[in-house]
């Protein structure tokens, strides 16, 4: 059915081009993501700069053996708004998480929750 869709039906309505990603074993960069073609599927690898940004905003390093997440209970009484500089840093980290969450289902819910506080982030966020 897919061969018929791409070979017969869609070309009637749109110009269909084949690129280098049609051959298994090739990779192409698309919008800062690397798409790798295997025999059976495509693998999407996001740009590392976004994950490094999220790690840096959290005050961690890539080689950290332990972290404060998620084992430490959050202190939700710290409702003081962040300074402009801290809020900008928060938004930068959340923006990178949004970019990563398009391909990482395991962080989508947490990212959505962080997005809710982007307008006025507080210390507890």
């Amino acid at each position: 059915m897919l061969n018929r869709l791409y070979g017969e039906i869609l070309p009637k309505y749109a110009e269909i081009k084949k690129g280098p990603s049609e051959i298994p074993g090739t990779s192409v960069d698309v919008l800062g993501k690397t798409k790798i073609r295997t025999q059976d599927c495509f693998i999407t690898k996001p740009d590392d700069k976004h994950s490094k940004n999220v790690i840096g905003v959290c005050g961690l390093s890539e080689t950290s053996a332990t972290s404060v997440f998620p084992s430490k209970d959050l202190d939700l009484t710290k409702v003081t708004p962040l300074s402009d500089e801290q809020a900008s840093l928060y938004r930068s980290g959340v923006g990178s998480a949004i970019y990563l969450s398009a391909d990482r289902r395991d962080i989508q819910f947490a990212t959505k929750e962080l997005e809710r506080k982007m307008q006025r982030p507080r210390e507890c966020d």
Side-chain angles (χ1 to χ4, degrees), residues 33-111:
K33 300 175 183 181
T34 302
K35 303 278 187 176
I36 304 166
R37 172 68 186 221
T38 67
Q39 186 66 32
D40 301 320
C41 65
F42 282 96
I43 299 170
T44 302
K45 181 181 177 285
D47 191 342
D48 288 340
K49 72 178 181 181
H50 298 288
S51 57
K52 289 178 182 177
N53 185 37
V54 172
I55 290 168
V57 167
C58 291
L60 304 171
S61 70
E62 292 182 54
T63 58
S64 295
T66 62
S67 85
V68 297
F69 306 107
S71 60
K72 184 177 179 184
D73 290 335
L74 294 176
D75 184 0
L76 299 177
T77 61
K78 296 181 179 180
V79 294
T80 308
L82 295 178
S83 68
D84 290 341
E85 184 179 320
Q86 291 173 321
S88 177
L89 191 61
Y90 177 89
R91 291 182 187 108
S92 172
V94 173
S96 290
I98 291 169
Y99 180 85
L100 288 172
S101 70
D103 301 312
R104 299 270 317 266
R105 294 182 53 96
D106 58 329
I107 65 169
Q108 285 179 346
F109 179 78
T111 301

